[in-house]
Amino acid sequence: MSRVHRHTTLASAMGLCLLLSGCAADSTDRSSSSSPPSLGFVNGDTKHFHTCLEKAVRETARNNMATLRVANSQASADRELSNIRAMIDRKVDAIIVQSVDSKALDADIAVAKKAGIPLFVTSYTPSDGNDEVLGAVLFRLSEIGRLNAHWISKDASGRQVEVGIVSGDGTSSSNSMVSGFTKGLEDNVRVVASEPGGYDRSRAKSVASRMIKSHSDIQYLFVVNEDMAFGVREALDEAGSTDVRIVTANGTDEGLAALKDGRFSATVSSSVMEMGELAVTNALSLLRGDQTDKIAYVPNRLITEGTADAAAIYCPYDSI
């Protein structure tokens, strides 16, 4: 079954001005019930994940007739805090934050709390728990690793096999995925090598090349995202290691295509589009006082060649 992306359309005759990033605007009267809700979105970087998340946030805000202002922290915790302060100055009703890392959130929360502006977080949660935030949408990262581990264990069918791991950059998200993976393996599956690829395709390629030279009996490679997995695939092809199977994560269109033609054996689909949609709709619901889960999780789905066409859309269309 083909994957279909259905966009919600709203009548423009309602006459509500939608304010996107960079648009000049009069200040919104936050106390007026007739005014559209106003949101700020502080994004953490400009990588593919972050651009996809921003597209989903923009579209969902528009469909819910909420005004939106966007800023990007470009992987800087200091810039992130400055962006939070700028959103507070613009008197938004709530700020959605895709933080550069979990440590940066503590300063964000302190500043926003003092200003009386609620924060809604994605991907990361603050070190003191979730009591200080409006809500959160998260990935179950350890489950992503565990699903890949279970696929390998099942595919090995009890045979003694060797596995290599190409991790991310040593951050908590990468570590959680790797921990879930190693804990999910059966006793017949042995990890013989593990090295960070830094979320960089060329670096991951070099890591994989070294692994298969040092461990010629590796049958599987777990790579924590699909972009690096493409680099790993190049290394395997150049070395003639066509029997080594790659398991990975994301569920991008490119990744699903690689499943269909055999370059990857399995991936775990975790839709960034769903994260962005949930962030906006849940933040607005919680602001209204609706019965909405404070903490929501984006579903993880193990995808193989046979189920690739049914995978959730990872990223909204580029035209959005």
Side-chain angles (χ1 to χ4, degrees), residues 288-305:
R288 291 192 300 264
D290 296 344
Q291 288 293 108
T292 303
D293 289 338
K294 182 173 181 176
I295 310 300
Y297 291 91
V298 178
N300 294 318
R301 307 167 179 94
L302 180 71
I303 307 296
T304 58
E305 178 186 359

Side-chain angles (χ1 to χ4, degrees), residues 28 46-47 97 124 129 145 174 187 246 253 266 275 279-280 284 299 311 316:
T28 301
T46 56
K47 293 183 174 68
V97 186
Y124 296 105
S174 173
D187 292 340
I246 295 172
D253 287 347
M275 171 170 275
V280 173
L284 292 174

